[in-house]
Amino acid sequence: MAIEFAKIGAEVVIWDVNKDGAEETKKQVEKAGGTANVFVVDLSQYKDIHRVAKLTKDAVGDVDILINNAGIVTGKKLFDCPDELMEKTMAVNTNALFYTAKNFLPSMLAKDSGHLVTIASMAGKTGCVGLVDYCASKHGAIGCHDSIAMEILAQKKYGVNTTLVCPFFIDTGMFHGVTTKCPALFPILEANYAVECIMEAILTNRPLLCMPKASYTILALIGLLPIEAQVLMADFFGTNESMNDFKGRQKQE
């Protein structure tokens, strides 16, 4: 996304806890002819978010498009997951959204111009075995995003757009090892395809993007079917077995 935004003339700001990874992204942005700024931040610490937000605004001015894209996953069942990892999942995937919005949204509201983007997950719309903390964090991310969107609309700031993105598993390495029982309907999404869809959604001010398209049908069925039917549907699509061979990025490396 950083590269694609650079191609259309955006000055890109990259936040990451991994300095080397951020610097590599900066090089790719510059190779594409763009400009990028790198700031190292620990999104699990709200004081660090406030600190780096001030550095960012001092360096580049107001932010026009805020994309909350950071996320972590443990891939462990509830009783196997250490408490500190569950706390960190909630801090990065959910709590950080409060503080990035508090720092960058006021200038958008003042100008009645801007865009807030939240990369959530279909895991924020349902439950899944092996993703208790992750699902909880993405439910929280969606609730945070939807509530902020309502607050923006309540202020009649129609020039500030919001886009909520709810993808199925994306092949970035973060979910290495996951499987899908129905690849025709629910394939593991290629990263480039996901970026293409997300960019289109942002640039056309779409309020909601779910990937793949079959996800919209699932959302409708969740709202209509009783819990017992939803369990049968999860068994049919293999949702609760998808994490059985999960390895994740760290173990992969």
Side-chain angles (χ1 to χ4, degrees):
M1 280 190 287
I3 294 169
E4 293 304 312
F5 271 109
K7 288 179 180 178
I8 58 175
E11 180 177 0
V12 178
V13 177
I14 303 162
W15 277 21
D16 204 328
V17 71
N18 180 349
K19 183 178 181 181
D20 291 340
E23 291 290 351
E24 176 59 31
T25 302
K26 178 181 178 180
K27 289 179 182 177
Q28 293 184 40
V29 167
E30 292 173 342
K31 186 177 180 180
T35 302
N37 305 270
V38 167
F39 296 90
V40 177
V41 60
D42 183 351
L43 289 171
S44 68
Q45 304 295 321
Y46 73 90
K47 291 183 179 179
D48 206 36
I49 294 174
H50 291 316
R51 178 185 67 83
V52 179
K54 184 179 186 305
L55 293 175
T56 300
K57 287 183 281 189
D58 288 344
V60 303
D62 295 335
V63 168
D64 300 301
I65 303 175
L66 170 62
I67 303 176
N68 287 308
N69 186 53
I72 59 174
V73 60
T74 64
K76 298 179 182 294
K77 295 180 181 178
L78 178 62
F79 301 122
D80 298 325
C81 190
D83 294 350
E84 60 271 18
L85 288 184
M86 289 191 290
E87 291 284 335
K88 191 163 188 177
T89 297
M90 295 302 297
V92 173
N93 296 2
T94 308
N95 297 351
L97 308 186
F98 302 146
Y99 308 114
T100 55
K102 287 182 74 172
N103 278 284
F104 297 116
L105 194 56
S107 62
M108 299 184 198
L109 294 172
K111 296 183 292 186
D112 195 14
S113 176
H115 206 131
L116 172 66
V117 183
T118 301
I119 310 299
S121 171
M122 283 300 294
K125 294 290 190 178
T126 185
C128 182
V129 172
L131 287 174
V132 172
D133 57 336
Y134 186 79
C135 285
S137 72
K138 291 302 184 178
H139 274 76
I142 291 173
C144 175
H145 177 95
D146 287 346
S147 297
I148 292 175
M150 285 297 180
E151 291 195 356
I152 293 171
L153 291 172
Q155 297 178 58
K156 295 182 171 30
K157 298 295 184 177
Y158 302 121
V160 180
N161 296 286
T162 62
T163 297
L164 174 65
V165 181
C166 295
F168 189 58
F169 299 120
I170 302 176
D171 186 18
T172 61
M174 181 175 173
F175 279 95
H176 178 66
V178 300
T179 58
T180 175
K181 188 176 178 181
C182 298
L185 287 176
F186 294 99
I188 306 299
L189 301 169
E190 294 183 358
N192 288 339
Y193 170 77
V195 168
E196 181 180 334
C197 293
I198 294 169
M199 289 296 296
E200 181 184 14
I202 295 171
L203 296 176
T204 58
N205 297 328
R206 287 179 60 181
L208 174 65
L209 169 66
C210 295
M211 298 180 285
K213 291 183 178 180
S215 301
Y216 293 104
T217 302
I218 295 299
L219 293 184
L221 291 174
I222 289 173
L224 293 171
L225 296 177
I227 294 298
E228 294 82 2
Q230 293 182 38
V231 172
L232 291 174
M233 185 170 65
D235 288 340
F236 177 79
F237 287 115
T239 305
N240 290 331
E241 290 80 46
S242 61
M243 292 292 292
N244 287 353
D245 297 317
F246 171 82
K247 297 179 178 62
R249 180 176 287 118
Q250 292 182 342
K251 291 183 180 180
Q252 181 186 13
E253 294 172 351

